[in-house]
Amino acid sequence: MPLESTAESPFLTPFSNSSSENLAILYLSRDLQVPVQLKEASQTLSRTETNSATNSDADRDIVVNTRFGSFPHSTLVDLPWGSQVLASKVDTGSWAKKPNGKKRKRDESQKGEPSEHDRDSEELSSRREQGQRQAKPVIAADSGFAHLVPPTPEIWTRALKHRTQVVYTPDYSYILQRLRVRPGTCLIEAGAGSGSFTHAAARAVFNVAHVRKKKKYGKVYSFEFHEPRAGLLEQDIVGHGLQSIVQLTHRDVYKDGFCVDDASIEGAPRADAIFLDLPAPWLALKHLIRGGTTEGSYSSPLNPRTTTRICTFSPCIEQAQRTITTLRSLGWVEIEMVEIMHKRLEVRRERVGLQEEGLRGVNPSPANVSEAFERLKEIEGRQRAFHENQPEEQKAKQAMANSLGMISKAERLKNIRDAEAKRKLYKEGRLVHRTEPELKTHTSYLVFAVLSRQWTADDEKLCREKWPLGDA
Amino acid sequence: MHSSIQPHSYVVLRLPSSTLKIVQVVPNTIVSIGKFGSFPANLLLGRPYHLTFDILEKNESNPQTDLRIVSAAELHAEAILDEGDSPSESRDELSADTADGVEYDVQDDGSVTLRSNQNTIDDPNRQSLSLEDIEELKKLSTGRDIIELLMKSHSGLDEKTAFSLAKYAVRKRGKYLKRFTVLPLDVSLLLEWVLTEKEAPRIMELREELLGLVLCWSNVHHMMPLSNAYCPDDVSASGRWLVIDETSGLIVAALAEKIGVLYEEEEDEEDEERELPDSSRSYPQLNGMPVKVHQSDAISTEEKCSDTQSNGVPSDSAANRSSTLQPQMPVNRPPKHSVRAQSATSNSITLLHAATQPNISLLKYFGYDDSNANEKHHLFMHLKTLSWLQLLSPEADSTYQEPEVVPDNILQTWRGGKKSSYFRKRRRWERVKDVIDDTRRGDFDGLVIASVMEPAEILRHLLPLLKGGAPVVVFSPNVEPLVKLTDLFSKARRTAFMTNPPDDSDMPTEDFPIDPTLMLNTMLQTSRARSWQVLPGRTHPLMMARGGAEGYIFTGTRVLKGEGAARARGRFSKKRKIERGEEIEDDS
Ligand SMILES: C[S@@+](CC[C@H](N)C(=O)[O-])C[C@H]1O[C@@H](n2cnc3c(N)ncnc32)[C@H](O)[C@@H]1O
């Protein structure tokens, strides 16, 4: 069963359709991407069909409600990824009246349905009858649609319910690159927290050796000492079909280190890479040393045959300094510290000019010298006409304006608004870019180091026999 | 990737000046690193990476040039001295840590928990050493030796001065050292080498932090082809990436690294004790569940697989596909050819190039040379290349034209040379045709572009070749092309397009150079890693960094139009199954 699920992890496998029991992402807008653990009512349909109890819960559809409309799971299952889905008309009223509604909801969570979308629904909309089921045929709503896309670690990182601070894509992409995490790498991660880094790491280490029992197969050994958090993450891991790639251990790593039992690999974890996102990484470092050669008793969690690479992630400089001091004293080399400064850019069209007067989100001042000049000339002319015609006063003013081809301000604004509807605004104005409104100026200090494998006099001797020096 | 240095492999040497040098380690030759000296290559072979060596010149006691491993403690001598020097905090920290139960493995040189004298006046004269001193120091090997020497000869000095002298000596010594560190040549290091030692424009000034982003947003990873749960016999191709790479092959190498087809699998002594990969092409058991592994995906075994084919006709599905399109091969078999180039159906990289030949010159550092390809290299099967001409108008490309088929009876009369050239031509045509047809079939899992060409036009041709949900990543050294591209997918433009869609036959129009509804979640970003110096009491960001192109990344997700855009479906009843069946027919 576990491996079968791995095969179906939508994070890793090539299936081109969404499927029941698997995670899918309902993409509504850039800032609203809802993870949905799909559950098809029909799965139990065959059983309930025979009963006359058509009202039983199992054959009811779960509905995802968003401010862009409602999406019953039945409309989301078995679609090619990237499909557009129309919102459906959902009868919320009849459900709400059901007296046993609460109970049903509880049953559902007991079935172990991971709670991502429950959590996220809170950000979704005022209507949050998440997990409501409806028994009526689905009817397309007049408006509202979403796209169904496969989950990726990048989407997950932004969509997951934050139980802790998480490591975002700009940092983890760099960390995975610097740690040389590749298919087949064994990686230690602590603490696992909300599992953001975990997902990206699982994708990076995954390889077919998993099923082929080759020596080098990739795995993430994850540690978290906060029990409820560990429990929630385990649910995610299983729900996402990653349980044969990610092995999560509930443990205090300062105290108990990183060695684990793993049926598929002796002396696990045999780590090639380590990522520590802990308040005091230096307290964990003493467990990340090479096994003794002669003493022999200490079993190291590190792969004895490869260079070990480490990254620690600490928001404060004092933490980083302390980590580095400890790394030095424990024989790590190539110690480097960096900060990642990432910016998202917005691209927009800046509309400036008199034709924008009274419109929103624009700058109605003259776009250039000619516009300014023409406008000044016009005002000048109007004023002169006004002064020259003092005697006729206001009464003649309108006539005068008309005769000069001038119109009232209200009229002018109306004309501008009418014209706007016909303009191709998407290609007008000046194309500019700028940084997003809120800039993350600091995430953490990333400390990197490597620990080369042990190289004994005996190893050297063997090597010299194999590669003799000759007379050169 | 191997964890020890292999004969004939390329490695990177980092010299004291922190310059990088790529050398090939050829057995029984001398490696020369300019003024830093030279040494026999055999002293590196078989050794692990990340060791730092001092070159010990030939002299009376040393009959041969030798290398000495420099310990970590020695490497850190200066910093550790600083640690001891800097007032109180660091030492307090150490003791605090010990209270926390940390047992430090402090090396010999770490014995510098000496007290500093804060009242000492820093006088540069007191730290200077005579020439003889320096000569003496050059001969010494460890930081501890230096301290000892200093303490001996200046026994009257207070500790602070001794420290300063020691630090000075260590720093000074660095200048005289014939020292280097051996690093594995992988994609990140190659990138650093090109950026710092070669012309950065060769790789479009792509920095590591941007490469990291490209690799994550493209979602590139190893993929396992699986038999479809509904239809176990249908093993679908998976993990096919479409790439335009004008970074001399760096992007291709990076993708290959992430997919797991760049390096050789390591064979080491331990293999014997551990379970060996099964060499058969059978159906590996997956916890009791048979999983059909596609030929080209069992990376380590595929070469063996192909070897076992008794006839020259490859049996993977790509070939089967094309065999329906081409006449059956004559009974007279072409010479046995063990591996078919560019034939992988999964975990493959398809490189689209603008010139007649792709420029992937950097791949040579990973043992892959396009003009003289090594059949053993994964990329031999997993890297497919084709030109824009071949993609857009295959008929216009002469290599796509089928060479004449010669009947067996005539073939039998041909001389060996003529015959083999005939088969070579046929093989080349088959390969080219397969790659072109396979690419035009589309269904790619992702698209990565690093090109100086106009991105919108590239996307207009390539977006339709992507699966729904597939990621698109475009790297550009400058922001302007990507600003323009992002604008083509603006909300306003998309809305205008949907309200009043132009006729398909009119596309591309001036207003819509590309259909804006083909992609969503477009995003533009940039990133920069800022390096710090972290030394006790001297922690600050580095004062200088590389300027030039800032580097930007555009990302988006391909979505389906019409055909996949599902209507809300009523499937409350048993009718559901039937409805779905109908839909599948509709869609195809
Ligand atoms: C900032 S969070 C990690 C976030 C995670 N990297 C992510 O991307 O989602 C730090 C986690 O470390 C855990 N932690 C702290 N000390 C620990 C220890 N000694 N052993 C194991 N976990 C620990 C905390 O419970 C917390 O969940």
Side-chain angles (χ1 to χ4, degrees), chain A residues 84 305 322 334 349 424, chain B residues 14 97 270 487 511 566:
Chain A
Q84 198 180 70
R305 306 189 48 79
R322 217 162 158 174
E334 311 265 311
R349 293 204 165 246
K424 293 177 173 174
Chain B
R14 199 182 37 232
D97 285 354
E270 269 180 86
D487 180 56
D511 292 349

Side-chain angles (χ1 to χ4, degrees), chain A residues 3-4 7 11-14 27 30 33 40 42 49 59 74-75 77-86 88 135 138 140 147 150 152 154 158 169-170 172-174 177-178 180-183 203 206-208 211-212 214-215 266 270 282-283 305 307 309 317 321-322 324-326 328-335 337-345 347 349 424 426-427 431 433 445 450 452-453 455 460 463-464 467-470, chain B residues 1 3 7 14 42-43 45-51 64 66 69 72 76 79 83 93 97 100 102 104-105 181 186 188 208-209 211-213 215-217 219 221-224 226 238 257-260 263 265 268-271 274 277-278 284 286-287 289 300-301 467-469 479 483 486-487 492-493 496 511-512 520-522 524-532 534-535 539 552 559-560 564-566 568-569 571-572 574 576 580:
Chain A
L3 279 170
E4 196 181 335
F11 282 92
L12 299 172
T13 53
Y27 179 98
R30 198 160 67 180
Q33 307 183 19
E40 200 175 17
S42 63
E49 250 173 359
D59 57 349
S74 65
T75 64
V77 171
D78 279 326
L79 288 183
W81 292 123
S83 299
Q84 198 180 70
V85 191
L86 299 181
S88 301
V138 174
H147 282 90
T152 63
E154 288 64 44
R158 275 164 56 183
T169 307
Y172 74 62
S173 60
Y174 184 71
Q177 189 63 24
R178 284 281 305 248
R180 301 334 195 235
V181 179
R182 303 164 183 156
R203 171 182 61 188
F206 172 70
N207 62 347
V208 282
V211 288
R212 300 186 56 76
K214 249 190 321 196
K215 187 187 125 212
E266 102 200 41
R270 291 172 73 92
W282 57 91
L283 295 180
R305 306 189 48 79
T307 294
R309 297 177 190 261
I317 192 91
Q321 284 172 321
R322 217 162 158 174
I324 289 176
T325 304
T326 311
R328 274 197 202 108
S329 69
L330 293 177
W332 294 77
V333 293
E334 311 265 311
I335 301 173
M337 184 170 105
V338 306
E339 252 183 304
I340 294 293
M341 328 257 261
H342 175 263
K343 276 187 266 186
R344 251 169 77 169
L345 303 177
V347 171
R349 293 204 165 246
K424 293 177 173 174
Y426 56 85
K427 50 182 245 187
L431 186 57
H433 71 280
Y445 293 106
V450 307
S452 55
R453 63 160 288 184
W455 192 247
E460 180 64 25
C463 232
R464 287 193 184 224
W467 300 104
L469 286 185
Chain B
M1 179 165 221
S3 57
R14 199 182 37 232
N42 288 15
L43 285 173
L45 289 170
R47 272 66 165 193
Y49 287 104
H50 295 101
L51 293 181
Q64 267 179 327
D66 206 344
I69 297 177
H76 291 315
E83 213 86 64
E93 268 182 36
D97 285 354
D100 278 337
V102 183
Y104 283 103
D105 250 8
T181 307
D186 53 24
S188 281
E208 191 177 11
E209 54 272 33
L211 179 64
L213 281 172
L215 296 173
C216 277
W217 283 103
N219 194 30
H221 63 279
H222 185 90
M223 275 203 201
M224 177 161 56
L226 287 164
S238 60
E257 192 178 60
K258 284 283 176 183
I259 293 172
Y263 307 111
E265 240 81 11
D268 58 33
E269 317 89 272
E270 269 180 86
D271 269 348
R274 305 178 139 262
D278 47 337
L286 196 148
N287 261 20
M289 184 180 92
S300 69
T301 53
K467 266 187 190 152
V479 75
V483 168
T486 307
D487 180 56
R493 200 181 294 258
D511 292 349
F512 305 107
L520 50 75
N521 203 11
T522 60
L524 185 53
Q525 54 186 315
T526 182
S527 182
R528 201 175 249 281
R530 177 191 228 196
S531 298
W532 285 63
V534 189
L535 286 172
T539 297
Y552 296 85
V559 287
L560 302 179
R569 294 162 296 168
R571 21 189 182 88
F572 167 59
K574 326 167 199 176
R576 215 195 89 242
R580 201 194 298 169

